[in-house]
Structures are given as structure tokens and as C-alpha cells.
Amino acid sequence: MSLPDHGANPKIFTKALGVAYKEGSIDFSVNTNPLGMSNYANLTQSDLKEAISAYPEPHAEHLTEALAKHLKVDKSRLLAGNGAAELIFHLAHLYQGKKVLLIEPAFSEYRDACEANGCEMESIVLEDPWKIDLRQLEGRLDEVDLMFLCAPNNPTGTTYEIEEIREILNLAAQHNTMVVIDEAFYDFQESKQTIIEEIQQCNHLIILRSMTKMYGIAGVRLGYMVASPSIIQQIRNLQPPWSVNGLAQRIGLNLLQDSSFINETAVYIKKERLRMKTELRKMDFCVSDSVVNFYLLSEKDKRDLRPLMIFLIEHKIIPRHTYSFNGLNGRYLRLAVKTKDENTILLSVLKKWRDQSC
């Protein structure tokens, strides 16, 4: 049985690995908000009843308008979806049979969606510390129709400077390549770095975002796309009506009123991530220079971490394996930034690992 391509399902993961799941395990493979769900996601009994019993708007018109106003873009440039994953699959369908370039390691849905739609796949696999060589990129853009870039990156947690992304967009424009920037984790950055201001003048730019991770509503499934009106209309033509369900639409509207939750989360994440990095490096682990709510852990010699992965599971810690990420190949573990108490438990288990290895 192959290992799952996603985190957040620890019982499925441990079963595939052939290791017993222990009740009370802490799931460090899930990368949603460690502070929990925004209070604005709670619906009153009457709102909940209406959201469940009534047909939702076919294309989430009110949510689209509210998101556009919140982002200061025209509503013709925005499309809500049943999570960002739905929009990735629609994009792959729009470019079916075309040449697609992935900057990897990256979120597995890009490749899965494109391969399912018969795309011709190209890949640039970056090595630690995962920096893009613009000269190498320029040499690979010939005849590439679509390129995916995850920024901040999942699984490394690292990101690129805005000027780097602008240079990438300029190169892509010269080759008539559409660029998808996946900003699913942008709001976990204290800086809130984003390329969205370029959307007005870059018709070859598509931005994907998720609302499920920051607001702790992964089960609701809600994301959106910002792009040129032409791309938005083409994707909308592929999207079935009622793609965004009534609960997601109602909760999404509420969440846009929560002005403090994102900033509070980002401040906490930065403080706790830096604490973890300091403590882990004291134990002689390598830690990626993440800017978000997860990071990669590795040994200096980049050995396969399966033994450590199993040790963690046996001690009630569920990591995210990296065998499914091109360029990582099991030599890293992805770990979420959790609550302070949970992170401290992880540190104690890793210290046990170090102590027994000495």
C-alpha cells in the first residue's frame, strides 16, 4: 500500500506505513491554523438551518463580490471554488494536452491534476535551500503554456522575494507562458507578502488562495482564484453550479469580517516557529528557512528519515512524510507549527531520539 499524498489523515497514513496508530497522537502533518477555527466561522442556529436547507447561489455571487471588495480587485477577476484544489483541476482541464512546467518540490495536486488531463509535464527540481536560477528557468520556458509556482512553498515553507517573482513574470511574458502563483499560505507570513498588486497589468498571472488553512475550516472547502476576466470566465464555464456550498458561502462572508485573527495568528506563528528552529538546531537538526506555519526537518547528511518517522509515530507524533515530493524523497520530514505545549512535546521526543542515537 502506497503512502498517502497528503497529510492530515494520520490513521490512513500509519496503516499504509504498517505502524500501529496510537490514540492521542498529535498530528504534525496537518498545516491548518494551530490556534483553531476563527470564531466568525460559527453560525447561529437559524443561519445554519438556512445554509443547509436552501439552495446556495449558483456561483457564490455575494461571496465573490465581498472578496473582490476585500482584495480591492474587480469582481470580474475573481472566482470562488470548492477549495483551491478544485480550481487547480479546472486549470489543468483548461490546459489539457498543453506543456506545463512545475517548480518542485511542490503541492502534489498540480502534477496530479495536469497528468489527469493529459498535459505534457516538465519540471525544475530545486535543491536545498530551494532558490530559483532565473537563467535556468529562462532556458526551460520555450513552448511552456502554463507554469505553477508555490509561494510560499509547500512543503519547504520558504518563499521568494517579490522582485524575483516579478522577474519570473517578465520572463514568462516573453515566452507567452501563463504563471500560476499559489499563495495558499501567504497570510501566515507576518509580512503578508503577495504579488496580487500585479494582477491588473499581468494578464498572464493567476493567483490561487485558500481560506481553509488560516481560518481552520478545512472541512468546509473554500478557496478562490484571481486572474484576468478572460481566464476567470473560461474557468467559470468549466465549474458546475453550486460548486461552493451554502455553508461555505455563509461562513466565507462571515470570515471577511474577522480583522484581527490573521494578524494574531501570524505573530504567534513567527514567534513559535523561531523558537522551534532555535531548539532544533541546538539538537543538530537542519531546519528550512520557513516563513509560514510549517517547516522541513532533516539531518545534515540528508539521510532517509524513515527510522525517525517511525520513532515519532511510536511516540504519538505524526509527521508528514516527503516521499511524494520530487527533490525531497524521504530525506526530510514536514512538521507543522502547533500550539506551544504540542511543540514542546515534539522537542522532548526528538531529544529522546538524539539521546538514544548517541
Side-chain angles (χ1 to χ4, degrees):
M1 185 177 182
S2 60
L3 297 180
D5 284 342
H6 299 283
N9 297 112
K11 291 184 179 179
I12 295 173
F13 170 51
T14 53
K15 182 179 179 181
L17 195 59
V19 179
Y21 174 80
K22 294 189 176 183
E23 293 299 329
S25 292
I26 305 171
D27 189 2
F28 280 81
S29 74
V30 64
N31 49 20
T32 52
N33 196 323
L35 302 183
M37 186 176 74
S38 165
N39 289 331
Y40 281 72
N42 292 316
L43 298 182
T44 65
Q45 195 65 30
S46 60
D47 282 347
L48 181 63
K49 183 177 179 180
E50 182 181 348
I52 292 173
S53 62
Y55 274 99
E57 293 176 344
H59 297 291
E61 286 85 353
H62 277 87
L63 177 59
T64 299
E65 191 168 338
L67 274 167
K69 184 178 180 180
H70 180 74
L71 298 171
K72 299 184 172 80
V73 300
D74 192 274
K75 64 181 180 180
S76 66
R77 292 182 173 272
L78 195 140
L79 181 67
N82 182 20
E86 182 212 4
L87 300 172
I88 290 168
F89 272 82
H90 288 321
L91 275 170
H93 182 69
L94 185 64
Y95 282 84
Q96 61 182 318
K98 302 290 188 180
K99 185 181 284 190
V100 177
L101 176 65
L102 306 182
I103 308 300
E104 296 184 298
F107 185 43
S108 61
E109 293 300 324
Y110 310 149
R111 182 174 290 277
D112 292 347
C114 290
E115 288 181 347
N117 283 277
C119 297
E120 182 184 343
M121 304 304 299
E122 298 270 338
S123 178
I124 294 177
V125 181
L126 305 180
E127 295 291 336
D128 193 346
W130 306 288
K131 299 295 184 183
I132 294 178
D133 183 333
L134 293 175
R135 290 172 299 179
Q136 180 190 16
L137 177 63
E138 185 173 19
R140 298 289 300 277
L141 282 175
D142 282 341
E143 300 180 5
V144 168
D145 299 289
L146 183 70
M147 182 179 93
F148 281 91
L149 180 67
C150 195
N153 179 269
N154 177 16
T156 68
T158 59
T159 196
Y160 313 99
E161 297 296 331
I162 286 295
E163 281 308 312
E164 284 184 280
I165 296 178
R166 288 196 180 107
E167 287 187 59
I168 290 168
L169 288 172
N170 288 336
L171 285 176
Q174 295 169 27
H175 293 269
N176 295 315
T177 300
M178 184 68 69
V179 180
V180 180
I181 307 287
D182 187 345
E183 293 189 342
F185 293 95
Y186 93 100
D187 41 8
F188 284 98
Q189 305 170 98
E190 196 173 31
S191 68
K192 304 294 183 293
Q193 178 177 290
T194 173
I195 198 69
I196 199 166
E197 290 182 0
E198 302 294 323
I199 204 72
Q200 300 291 346
Q201 58 263 26
C202 286
N203 286 331
H204 65 295
L205 171 62
I206 298 169
I207 295 173
L208 295 175
R209 287 187 178 172
S210 166
M211 294 183 72
T212 61
K213 297 171 178 65
M214 169 54 74
Y215 292 106
I217 55 166
V220 172
R221 309 308 305 140
L222 185 60
Y224 60 90
M225 171 191 295
V226 185
S228 69
S230 172
I231 289 291
I232 293 297
Q233 188 57 54
Q234 291 177 76
I235 298 296
R236 182 178 284 118
N237 291 341
L238 297 172
Q239 189 180 48
W242 308 298
S243 179
V244 182
N245 67 68
L247 278 172
Q249 290 187 38
R250 184 62 62 93
I251 290 172
L253 285 166
N254 285 1
L255 291 175
L256 293 178
Q257 303 172 48
D258 194 346
S259 58
S260 61
F261 188 69
I262 292 177
N263 289 333
E264 289 170 4
T265 296
V267 169
Y268 167 78
I269 289 294
K270 181 179 180 180
K271 181 179 179 180
E272 192 62 9
R273 186 184 65 243
L274 291 176
R275 179 178 83 94
M276 292 299 291
K277 180 188 285 190
T278 299
E279 294 303 316
L280 290 167
R281 287 181 173 173
K282 286 179 184 177
M283 294 185 214
D284 217 27
F285 286 109
C286 296
V287 183
S288 64
D289 288 325
S290 172
V291 296
V292 290
N293 59 321
F294 54 86
Y295 52 90
L296 287 182
L297 183 82
S298 64
E299 296 282 13
K300 288 182 178 178
D301 62 3
K302 298 299 182 281
R303 74 189 72 161
D304 189 294
L305 292 189
R306 186 183 183 93
L308 174 56
M309 181 170 65
I310 292 173
F311 179 87
L312 289 173
I313 294 168
E314 290 173 343
H315 288 78
K316 296 187 175 182
I317 299 289
I318 307 295
R320 169 65 164 95
H321 78 88
T322 61
Y323 292 103
S324 57
F325 291 111
N326 275 348
L328 301 186
N329 311 112
R331 297 173 294 135
Y332 300 79
L333 294 176
R334 194 189 73 191
L335 296 164
V337 177
K338 305 286 281 184
T339 67
K340 186 172 183 178
D341 287 346
E342 290 170 329
N343 291 329
T344 299
I345 292 171
L346 170 62
L347 290 173
S348 69
V349 174
L350 287 169
K351 187 175 186 307
K352 286 180 185 177
W353 168 260
R354 276 290 186 247
D355 289 344
Q356 76 162 26
S357 302
C358 292

